[in-house]
């Protein structure tokens, strides 16, 4: 599988990034490199030819309590797994100049594809979870099949559903 994104490097221009959400602009400008150094997240970017970042997302390992997944899925999970391994799509943003051209969708599918590939052969993960920032983000993720978990506004999409997307 080829991906449209690459891990963030020092050559990428982060300072010009502006997506309309201050917290996501600050993240890529100030925190992203630190998070990578500490192995808290891998930041994947879509750069243009000059290195300017058109969009980015982050991935980390996470886990969720088996008690909060929908009953139909829960009953298929062995009791021994009190916590279920998941992939966290921590952040996803497209620069203002490139919004509404399909890049958000391409970045999301790129992230889901990576997660599905990793879950298949490298590290177990039964779903992708997101923590949407606001109502707009919720609407964006709902279009792709993310559903709410009953905790802290988290949404998730089972790996099984992701595989059906591709
Ligand atoms: C949300 C975001 C990533 C969408 O990126 P984008 O490149 O503009 O989106 P796309 O052009 O790929 O659109 C994909 C679909 O999502 C919809 N969409 C785009 N922005 C949306 C928004 N803000 N709210 C709801 N739906 C949205 C589009 O209508 C499109 O659906 P359609 O094909 O049925 O028309 C982008 O607006 C962004 O970076 N916003 C600021 C950061 C943010 O809120 N991130 C959310 C995760 S925390």
């Amino acid at each position: 599988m080829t991906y449209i994104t690459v891990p963030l490097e020092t050559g990428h221009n982060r300072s010009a990034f502006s997506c309309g959400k201050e917290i996501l602009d600050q993240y890529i400008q100030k925190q992203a490199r630190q998070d990578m150094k500490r192995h808290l997240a891998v930041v994947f970017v879509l750069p243009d030819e000059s290195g300017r970042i058109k969009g980015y997302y982050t991935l980390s390992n996470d886990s969720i309590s088996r008690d909060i997944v929908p009953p139909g899925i829960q009953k298929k999970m062995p009791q021994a797994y009190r916590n279920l391994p998941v992939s966290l799509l921590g952040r996803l943003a497209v620069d203002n100049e490139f919004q509404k051209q399909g890049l958000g969708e391409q970045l999301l599918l790129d992230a889901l594809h990576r997660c599905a590939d990793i879950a298949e052969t490298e590290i177990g993960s039964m779903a992708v979870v997101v923590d949407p920032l606001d109502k707009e983000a919720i609407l964006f993720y709902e279009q792709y099949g993310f559903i709410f978990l009953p905790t802290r506004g988290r949404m998730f999409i089972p790996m099984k559903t992701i595989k059906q997307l591709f």
Side-chain angles (χ1 to χ4, degrees), residues 17 19-21 24 90-96 98-107 131-141 143-144:
F17 189 85
C19 73
K21 302 270 165 72
L24 295 172
R91 294 169 180 83
L92 184 151
V94 173
D95 186 278
N96 279 321
F98 304 99
Q99 286 183 13
K100 311 236 176 287
Q101 299 169 27
L103 278 192
E105 173 168 306
Q106 286 178 39
L107 284 173
D131 295 310
L133 275 182
D134 53 26
K135 185 94 176 74
E136 285 186 343
I138 291 168
L139 291 173
F140 175 73
Y141 288 123
Q143 288 178 92
Y144 300 94

Side-chain angles (χ1 to χ4, degrees), residues 100-116:
K100 311 236 176 287
Q101 299 169 27
L103 278 192
E105 173 168 306
Q106 286 178 39
L107 284 173
L108 178 62
L109 294 179
D110 195 73
L112 296 180
H113 221 143
R114 273 187 200 280
C115 292

Side-chain angles (χ1 to χ4, degrees), residues 8-20:
L8 176 67
E9 288 171 10
T10 44
H12 294 131
N13 176 3
R14 291 172 291 143
S15 58
F17 189 85
S18 172
C19 73

